């Protein structure tokens, strides 16, 4: 793949920003260039969901809520569908209940209150139900929720298929940073970090990655009783900073996975409330 620099200006700026009006709890990408997100309002105890265009940040739908307003979350995005889960009991981590939305409209296609999501592959969703000391597996149509196959005594036989589904998801165009202590960074990264931090006390490990013409890293510095989380992008050859942003000023502890790159764009969440995309290069 050939990279083309887009430096007609000395710095980069956000391509788009999306603020859904709550804490962005989780985001997932679809193969249709859509981003699906989960938003939580802790005070009102309401969870809602949105779907935006990956390239423009424009919403296709937003503010979608289920009849269960709080005890629900995103499970996966598979093809034309968004899969949500419920919980067996409030305040308990065990998932139970499946809700499937149409990716393009956000409308509910079907639900099943008794089964627990396991994985999805192609046009089927695989779920299970625990009965005493026995687990029963089910293959359901993603389109209708109809049970098309039952695995009463051979649930383990589905493990290879589950592994295949996971592998396909892991190789879907995402690039994630490495994690290292400041004194273990490669020399070029350490040099730029020192230039960027300007003598401030860097706390914890640093996330960094090289992507095309760029070096991206994320770091925390101490400031009173809280930590400041910053991200910086440098042009590798010239050692010139082309973009930086403060992700939060009141972090209690360093948290990994603050950013990633997909198809030439840098993505991160600012202040837990704004999803930001910065185009690095175009193929």
């Amino acid at each position: 793949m050939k990279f083309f620099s887009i430096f007609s200006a000395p710095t980069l700026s956000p391509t788009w920003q999306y603020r859904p009006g709550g804490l962005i709890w989780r985001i997932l990408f679809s193969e249709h260039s859509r981003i699906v997100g989960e938003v939580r309002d802790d005070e009102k105890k309401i969870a809602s969901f949105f779907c935006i265009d990956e390239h423009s940040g424009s919403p296709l739908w937003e503010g979608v809520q289920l009849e269960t307003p709080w005890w629900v979350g995103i499970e996966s995005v598979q093809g034309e569908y968004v899969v949500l889960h419920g919980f067996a009991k409030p305040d308990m981590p065990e998932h139970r209940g499946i809700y499937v939305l149409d990716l393009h409209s956000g409308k509910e296609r079907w639900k099943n209150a008794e089964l627990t999501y396991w994985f999805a592959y192609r046009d089927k969703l695989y779920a299970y139900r625990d009965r005493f000391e026995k687990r029963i597996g089910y293959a359901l149509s993603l389109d209708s929720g109809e049970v098309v196959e039952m695995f009463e005594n051979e649930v383990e036989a589905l493990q290879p298929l589950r592994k295949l589904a996971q592998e396909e998801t892991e190789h879907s165009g995402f690039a994630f940073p490495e994690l290292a202590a400041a004194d273990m960074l490669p020399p070029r990264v350490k040099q730029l970090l020192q230039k960027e931090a300007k003598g401030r006390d860097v706390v914890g490990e640093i996330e960094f990655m090289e992507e095309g013409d760029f070096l991206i890293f994320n770091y925390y510095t101490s400031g009173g009783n809280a930590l400041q989380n910053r991200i910086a992008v440098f042009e590798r050859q010239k050692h010139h900073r082309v973009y930086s942003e403060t992700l939060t000023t009141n972090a209690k502890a360093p948290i990994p996975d603050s950013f990633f790159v997909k198809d030439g764009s840098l993505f991160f969440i600012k202040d837990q409330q704004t999803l930001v995309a910065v185009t690095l290069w175009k193929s």
Side-chain angles (χ1 to χ4, degrees), residues 74-111:
I74 295 179
E75 197 74 76
S76 71
V77 177
Q78 180 71 18
E80 308 284 337
Y81 308 96
V82 179
V83 184
L84 310 179
H85 67 83
F87 290 88
K89 295 179 180 179
D91 298 320
M92 296 292 288
E94 180 184 355
H95 293 183
R96 182 180 298 166
I98 301 168
Y99 306 85
V100 175
L101 310 181
D102 182 276
L103 174 66
H104 305 291
S105 68
K107 295 182 179 179
E108 186 177 290
R109 294 294 298 265
W110 58 270
K111 62 182 177 181

Side-chain angles (χ1 to χ4, degrees), residues 55-90:
H55 304 296
S56 67
S58 300
L60 281 77
W61 46 268
E62 55 190 349
V64 170
Q65 300 176 23
L66 299 188
E67 57 187 5
T68 302
W70 182 247
W71 298 107
V72 63
I74 295 179
E75 197 74 76
S76 71
V77 177
Q78 180 71 18
E80 308 284 337
Y81 308 96
V82 179
V83 184
L84 310 179
H85 67 83
F87 290 88
K89 295 179 180 179

Side-chain angles (χ1 to χ4, degrees), residues 198-242:
K198 297 178 182 177
R200 288 171 290 187
D201 183 24
V202 177
V203 178
E205 296 180 304
I206 291 85
E207 289 187 300
F208 69 97
M209 68 181 300
E210 294 178 277
E211 184 69 19
D213 294 331
F214 306 99
L215 172 66
I216 310 165
F217 57 86
N218 171 250
Y219 64 98
Y220 286 81
T221 58
S222 61
N225 296 322
L227 301 178
Q228 184 179 75
N229 183 12
R230 291 187 62 82
I231 191 167
V233 182
F234 279 79
E235 200 280 323
R236 289 196 298 162
Q237 299 301 321
K238 298 180 181 178
H239 290 192
H240 174 59
R241 188 179 70 184
V242 295

Side-chain angles (χ1 to χ4, degrees), residues 161-275:
L161 184 62
R162 181 171 180 253
K163 183 178 180 181
L164 180 61
Q166 290 174 331
E167 289 175 349
E168 288 191 3
T169 301
E170 290 171 357
H171 297 86
S172 54
F174 294 91
F176 295 93
E178 299 179 56
L179 191 64
D183 58 353
M184 297 298 292
L185 291 171
R188 64 186 179 279
V189 180
K190 185 182 297 185
Q191 178 184 0
L192 292 180
L193 175 63
Q194 292 172 346
K195 178 180 178 180
E196 168 68 16
K198 297 178 182 177
R200 288 171 290 187
D201 183 24
V202 177
V203 178
E205 296 180 304
I206 291 85
E207 289 187 300
F208 69 97
M209 68 181 300
E210 294 178 277
E211 184 69 19
D213 294 331
F214 306 99
L215 172 66
I216 310 165
F217 57 86
N218 171 250
Y219 64 98
Y220 286 81
T221 58
S222 61
N225 296 322
L227 301 178
Q228 184 179 75
N229 183 12
R230 291 187 62 82
I231 191 167
V233 182
F234 279 79
E235 200 280 323
R236 289 196 298 162
Q237 299 301 321
K238 298 180 181 178
H239 290 192
H240 174 59
R241 188 179 70 184
V242 295
Y243 184 77
S244 67
E245 180 64 89
T246 300
L247 275 58
T248 182
T249 58
N250 59 354
K252 295 181 180 179
I255 300 174
D257 301 326
S258 291
F259 74 91
F260 61 89
V261 172
K262 181 178 186 294
D263 298 332
S265 289
L266 167 67
F267 293 91
F268 60 86
I269 297 173
K270 179 177 170 61
D271 294 325
Q272 295 185 278
Q273 299 184 54
T274 306
L275 178 60

